């Protein structure tokens, strides 16, 4: 025979006077936070009556109270109605639950009419529980919907409290710190999970902005309420501004992502695939022909092997002969016409004396064919180039010439067989060799 007795009426060692929990010389009435809790004793006792004990007992009480509160057609229920509605429960268990609910003010028994009625306290408690259950069903990852719903409802009836606003503010600050930690972790998986949660939080922030705006402009609200609402507004702004931080962190990870050859697969794809496997060890089944045999050696043996390897490398390095020399591959012909042309042009540029007004560009490029003039013009950007100046050879000599290339955004026509027009430009000698010239496309071929 099963025992359905309720332990709510049994005095336990934990049921002590409130004063015993406080230090000597301190009265609970002197602590300001105790008063609102003592004032809410009826509703707190209602929660205690429902949630005291094991989970199965709590579930049974909520089941009975929820079933009875769902019948809104009649404000009262007879015992026969209750037995019919909860016919799937053992009679003794049902009687135990009804006795507990009745003894703690969640059910009212009208002895004259012989009926049960749901008390207002019970309906308030069930309404709060239904809101929490609905939040869980909708999978609110940001866990803000319930608190925002409470604030919105309280504001609608003109009774929002500072404590409700502080709970919402605390949740916003927790989310901001959580997202900041995810960004600082550098983990792509944590970032993407946090970004998904961030989008959910932003949806609730947008819905709550009007509520917070109404609270801040409510003349009936006191200073503490205004201050809390303004703090919530700042926390919402900080939360919304994290979009750029998420984007920068994900872009940085994208630039550092490693791809496996030309397959298109990346390390992120491999990790995602591995996370989907329940048993990673099973991937190695039949992958190894022989089991791995561990080798155990002592530190003395490790030193002997390391010394032997070191000495063998030194001996081989000393005994080895130098490799035979080979002729360098010829990459350029000393008789190349381009090199002769560059040497000739260097002599021409070297004759520009400091103090001159400037030599027109056409006098330096012409007379010559279009190919030679184009070659000379292509060498002009090397003048003053610091990287090229550090090199040897003709181009390095050209880069070190103390010349300044001056040009205008205009073209002048030429009377030449191959060049129709050329930029208005000149080369001027300067005492400094590190001035960087302005390169342009100075010539235009005759059509």
């Amino acid at each position: 025979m099963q025992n359905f007795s309720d332990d709510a009426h049994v005095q336990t060692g934990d049921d002590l006077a409130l004063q015993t929990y406080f230090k000597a010389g301190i009265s609970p009435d002197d602590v300001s936070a105790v008063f609102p809790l003592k004032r809410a004793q009826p509703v707190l006792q209602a929660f205690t009556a429902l949630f005291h004990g094991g989970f199965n007992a709590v579930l049974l009480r909520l089941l009975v109270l929820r079933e009875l509160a769902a019948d809104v057609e009649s404000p009262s229920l007879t015992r026969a109605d209750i037995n019919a509605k909860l016919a799937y429960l053992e009679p003794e268990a049902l009687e135990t639950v009804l006795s507990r609910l009745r003894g703690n003010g969640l059910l009212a028994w009208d002895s004259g009419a012989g009926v049960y009625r749901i008390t207002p306290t019970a309906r308030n408690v069930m309404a709060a529980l239904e809101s929490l259950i609905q939040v869980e069903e909708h999978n609110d990852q940001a866990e803000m919907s319930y608190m925002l719903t409470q604030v919105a409802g309280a504001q609608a009836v003109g009774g929002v409290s500072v404590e409700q606003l502080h709970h919402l503010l605390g949740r916003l600050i927790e989310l901001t710190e959580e997202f900041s930690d995810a960004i600082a972790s550098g983990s792509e998986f944590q970032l993407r999970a946090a970004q998904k949660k961030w989008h959910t939080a932003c949806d609730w922030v947008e819905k709550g902005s009007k509520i917070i705006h109404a609270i801040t402009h409510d003349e009936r609200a006191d200073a503490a309420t205004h201050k809390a609402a303004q703090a919530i507004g700042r926390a919402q702004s900080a939360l919304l501004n994290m979009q750029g931080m998420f984007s920068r962190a994900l872009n940085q990870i994208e630039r550092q992502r490693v791809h496996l050859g030309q397959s298109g697969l990346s390390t992120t794809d491999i990790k995602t695939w591995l996370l989907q496997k329940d048993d990673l060890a099973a991937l190695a089944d039949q992958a190894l022909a022989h089991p791995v045999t561990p080798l155990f050696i002592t530190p003395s043996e490790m030193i002997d092997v390391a010394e032997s390897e070191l000495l063998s490398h030194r001996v081989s390095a000393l005994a080895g002969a130098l490799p035979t020399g080979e002729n360098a591959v010829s990459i350029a012909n000393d008789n190349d016409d381009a090199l002769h042309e560059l040497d000739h042009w260097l002599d021409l540029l070297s004759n520009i004396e400091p103090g001159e007004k400037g030599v027109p560009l056409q006098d330096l490029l012409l007379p010559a064919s279009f190919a030679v003039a184009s070659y000379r013009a292509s060498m002009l950007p090397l003048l003053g180039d610091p990287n090229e100046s550090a090199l040897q050879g003709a181009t390095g000599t050209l880069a070190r010439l103390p010349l300044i290339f001056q040009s205008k955004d205009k073209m002048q026509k030429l009377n030449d067989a191959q060049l129709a027009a050329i930029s208005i430009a000149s080369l001027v000698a300067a005492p400094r060799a590190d001035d960087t010239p302005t390169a342009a496309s100075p010539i235009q071929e005759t059509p």
Side-chain angles (χ1 to χ4, degrees), residues 143-206:
E143 298 177 355
M144 289 178 54
S145 57
Y146 179 74
M147 288 178 283
L148 191 59
T149 301
Q150 297 300 309
V151 172
Q155 172 62 20
V157 298
V160 64
S161 65
V162 177
E163 287 75 12
Q164 290 173 317
L165 296 178
H166 284 172
H167 292 319
L168 180 59
L169 175 60
R171 184 54 188 160
L172 289 171
I173 295 175
E174 290 172 357
L175 287 172
T176 303
E177 292 181 354
E178 179 182 346
F179 298 150
S180 298
D181 292 341
I183 293 172
S185 69
S187 170
E188 181 180 3
F189 290 88
Q190 292 187 28
L191 273 171
R192 295 199 180 278
Q195 189 181 38
K196 184 178 180 181
K197 193 173 185 178
W198 177 85
H199 283 296
T200 303
C202 288
D203 292 339
W204 287 109
V205 167
E206 293 180 0

Side-chain angles (χ1 to χ4, degrees), residues 338-389:
L339 293 180
H340 287 294
E341 174 58 37
L342 180 57
D343 291 337
H344 173 70
W345 197 48
L346 282 176
D347 294 337
L348 182 62
L349 295 178
S350 300
N351 293 328
I352 301 177
E353 298 294 335
E356 295 183 6
K357 185 177 180 180
V359 181
L361 181 62
Q362 59 270 25
D363 295 344
L364 298 173
L365 301 184
L366 301 175
S369 64
F370 177 78
V372 173
S374 298
Y375 173 72
R376 292 176 176 177
S378 66
M379 303 298 288
L380 290 175
L382 297 180
L383 289 172
D385 187 287
N387 296 327
E388 193 69 29
S389 300

Side-chain angles (χ1 to χ4, degrees), residues 191-327:
L191 273 171
R192 295 199 180 278
Q195 189 181 38
K196 184 178 180 181
K197 193 173 185 178
W198 177 85
H199 283 296
T200 303
C202 288
D203 292 339
W204 287 109
V205 167
E206 293 180 0
K207 295 177 182 178
S209 297
K210 295 182 179 179
I211 302 172
I212 301 302
H213 182 269
I215 295 175
T216 55
H217 291 78
D218 188 357
E219 297 179 354
R220 298 172 298 175
D222 55 14
T225 304
H226 279 289
K227 184 178 180 180
Q230 292 171 356
I232 290 175
R234 290 191 295 268
Q236 288 178 334
S237 299
L239 197 65
L240 294 174
N241 291 334
M242 300 191 76
Q243 173 62 27
M245 301 172 64
F246 276 112
S247 299
R248 286 191 296 271
L250 289 173
N251 290 338
Q252 181 68 19
I253 291 176
E254 187 68 26
R255 287 193 296 268
Q256 297 176 352
R257 181 175 296 173
V258 178
H259 291 271
L260 306 181
Q262 303 296 326
S263 63
L265 294 176
S266 66
T267 51
T268 301
D269 300 325
I270 300 300
K271 185 175 181 180
T272 303
W273 181 76
L274 291 175
L275 290 174
Q276 295 173 353
K277 299 297 180 181
D278 296 331
D279 187 7
L280 292 180
L283 298 176
D285 292 346
Q286 301 180 355
L288 299 175
H290 301 284
V292 177
T293 303
L295 299 177
F296 301 96
I297 57 177
T298 63
S300 299
E301 293 170 336
M302 296 173 63
I303 293 175
D304 293 340
V305 174
E307 184 178 7
S308 175
E309 289 291 331
L310 178 61
L311 293 177
S312 64
H313 284 298
R314 285 185 176 180
V315 172
S316 61
L318 295 174
L322 293 175
T324 57
E326 296 182 0
N327 295 327

